[in-house]
Amino acid sequence: MSPIDDSRAFAEQYVVEPENIATARHFSIELGIDPVSPAVGAQLALLSASLRAKTIIEIGTGAGVSGLWLLLGSPQAQLTSIDNEPDHHLAARQMFTEAGFGVGRIRLISGRALDVLPRMNEESYDLVFIDADAGSAIEYVEHGLRLVRRGGMVVVGNAVDHAIGEDVSPLDASAFRSMLDEIGATPGVLSVISPAGAGLLQLIRP
């Protein structure tokens, strides 16, 4: 195992995952979903808390693992989560309810994110988390920057894997790297890729 792998393994083992999130992780695995890792989840909670987020939107609900982490950081926030798999939403709804988050706090929207996002209000969210397919990542980021308020944050999961072509096509990997280059050259936009899990791209909207 390389030093980088050792560092990642240590970071994952450092996180003590709350019981309700561990249960959601178990449901995710049963459904064949690959949830965010504990280290990624903990970082999402920290980012959410640092923003004092009141409104959060995520693309890719899964069984609620990432959503529960985001709400752990901002327990008073309202979470809007988009997924096109009804089974995912059924599992996620159960996990959110058991964690004490009622219907008024959680809005689950079924459908393709690229169909739903154009209907969402601009500059209405403190934090946008994108955990979806690499092929649409560029469009998701564009929507995310439109939806997030000034000073808000857009976060993209699996950023390192998308960039190096891990489990994505060479064309999608090239397009993702081009997006990273464009973001890096955009004046006023602060961006960084955290090595947590498969990488988290974090953008602050100017």
Side-chain angles (χ1 to χ4, degrees):
M1 185 177 288
S2 71
I4 292 177
D5 290 334
D6 285 338
S7 297
R8 287 184 174 177
F10 179 82
E12 295 292 348
Q13 294 165 6
Y14 173 76
V15 178
V16 178
E17 196 160 53
E19 183 176 351
N20 64 324
I21 300 180
T23 300
R25 183 176 301 281
H26 176 73
F27 268 95
S28 298
I29 293 170
E30 284 189 342
L31 289 170
I33 302 167
D34 184 18
V36 298
S37 73
V40 170
Q43 188 157 355
L44 290 175
L46 188 147
L47 294 172
S48 178
S50 67
L51 288 169
R52 298 181 180 179
K54 300 299 183 185
T55 50
I56 302 171
I57 185 168
E58 69 169 349
I59 302 167
T61 309
V65 173
S66 54
L68 288 170
W69 273 115
L70 289 162
L71 291 168
L72 182 66
S74 294
Q76 301 306 313
Q78 182 181 61
L79 174 70
T80 298
S81 189
I82 304 168
D83 202 299
N84 63 355
E85 295 291 341
D87 288 348
H88 295 182
H89 273 177
L90 286 173
R93 176 68 72 189
Q94 179 182 345
M95 293 298 99
F96 288 131
T97 300
E98 291 181 2
F101 298 107
V103 175
R105 299 283 307 287
I106 307 296
R107 180 169 60 154
L108 301 180
I109 300 177
S110 296
R112 291 180 65 252
L114 292 179
D115 294 332
V116 174
L117 291 171
R119 304 197 300 266
M120 311 301 284
N121 293 330
E122 295 185 8
E123 299 188 11
S124 297
Y125 297 90
D126 300 309
L127 175 59
V128 177
F129 175 53
I130 299 165
D131 185 20
D133 58 294
S136 301
I138 296 173
E139 292 171 282
Y140 293 147
V141 169
E142 290 174 350
H143 280 294
L145 290 172
R146 179 182 63 84
L147 297 175
V148 77
R149 64 168 172 79
R150 294 191 180 277
M153 184 177 292
V154 177
V155 182
V156 184
N158 301 308
V160 171
D161 280 3
H162 289 348
I164 66 176
E166 185 71 23
D167 296 327
V168 303
S169 71
L171 183 61
D172 286 342
S174 177
F176 194 83
R177 290 194 300 272
S178 295
M179 180 192 72
L180 294 178
D181 291 340
E182 183 177 344
I183 289 170
T186 301
V189 175
L190 298 178
S191 65
V192 67
I193 295 180
S194 161
L200 274 181
L201 172 63
Q202 301 161 44
L203 311 172
I204 291 287
R205 182 175 183 265

